[in-house]
């Protein structure tokens, strides 16, 4: 038996932050990136760590892997197209280092991918430039109106 030092209260433990985010659009930015070898060792992928910047899931992270160098031409083409779309959304024509993607907020569309034998996970399905919310247009001032004429049934003659 091992004494914990204090009572463990399960209700004080935050919810699991590795559950996938609900499908939808998120205002997010890349906060970390690194090149890693593929499991087979035949290529490399760019691992992006995204962080949600607003809304009820602010602060949550999700990850994306782009097979930048891969013997499978289709996998590599899809990854390079995704990287091009990220750069487009961020307003970047060319980059030399993945650090150039950091701290550039954009909108990211997520779906939840279900796969037999695995836990559900988020998958990025799109990117778009973030356009700051435009302030609501002020309502036009009410047009000046002339006072209403007295209604004949409401006026009483005074003597």
């Amino acid at each position: 038996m091992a004494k914990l030092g204090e009572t463990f209260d399960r209700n004080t433990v935050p919810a699991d932050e590795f559950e996938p985010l609900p499908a939808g659009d998120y205002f997010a930015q890349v906060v970390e990136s690194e090149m890693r070898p593929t499991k087979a060792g035949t290529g490399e992928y760019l691992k992006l760590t995204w962080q949600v910047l607003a809304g009820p899931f602010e602060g949550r992270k999700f990850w994306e892997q782009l097979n930048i160098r891969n013997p499978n031409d289709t996998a590599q083409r899809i990854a390079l197209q995704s990287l091009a779309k990220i750069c487009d959304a961020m307003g970047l024509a060319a980059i030399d280092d993945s650090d150039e993607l950091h701290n550039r907020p954009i909108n990211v569309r997520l779906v939840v991918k279900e796969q037999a034998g695995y836990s559900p996970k988020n998958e990025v399905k799109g990117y778009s430039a973030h356009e700051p919310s435009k302030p609501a247009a002020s309502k036009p001032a009410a047009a000046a109106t002339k006072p209403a004429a007295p209604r004949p049934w409401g006026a009483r003659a005074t003597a």
Side-chain angles (χ1 to χ4, degrees):
M1 182 163 68
K3 287 281 187 192
L4 298 177
E6 59 184 61
T7 303
F8 173 76
D9 181 355
R10 193 281 169 251
N11 295 317
T12 63
V13 179
D16 183 0
E17 298 227 350
F18 293 104
E19 288 294 317
L21 292 164
D25 293 332
Y26 293 88
F27 180 49
Q29 68 184 3
V30 174
V31 293
E32 294 175 26
S33 61
E34 66 177 307
M35 290 297 294
R36 289 188 168 180
T38 59
K39 190 184 289 187
T42 57
E44 291 182 296
Y45 64 89
L46 175 62
K47 181 180 180 183
L48 299 176
T49 302
W50 293 88
Q51 185 169 28
V52 177
L53 297 174
F57 297 99
E58 184 176 347
R60 286 280 307 271
K61 293 181 179 179
F62 59 93
W63 294 266
E64 181 176 23
Q65 296 179 4
L66 303 174
N67 288 296
I68 302 297
R69 293 184 194 88
N70 197 289
N72 181 320
D73 290 339
T74 302
Q76 183 170 305
R77 178 181 47 78
I78 291 169
L80 292 174
Q81 287 172 338
S82 292
L83 184 56
K85 290 174 186 175
I86 292 168
C87 287
D88 287 346
M90 292 180 177
L92 301 170
I95 60 171
D96 293 318
D97 191 307
S98 64
D99 284 353
E100 295 175 59
L101 302 174
H102 294 205
N103 304 313
R104 294 179 174 268
I106 63 173
N107 295 318
V108 181
R109 173 158 292 173
L110 294 180
V111 296
V112 177
K113 183 178 179 182
E114 303 276 348
Q115 207 170 5
Y118 294 94
S119 298
K121 68 176 191 172
N122 284 124
E123 187 173 292
V124 178
K125 284 295 186 182
Y127 319 88
S128 61
H130 177 71
E131 297 184 23
S133 299
K134 296 177 185 171
S138 58
K139 293 181 181 180
T145 58
K146 56 182 178 178
R151 296 184 176 145
W153 58 86
R156 291 188 177 222
T158 55

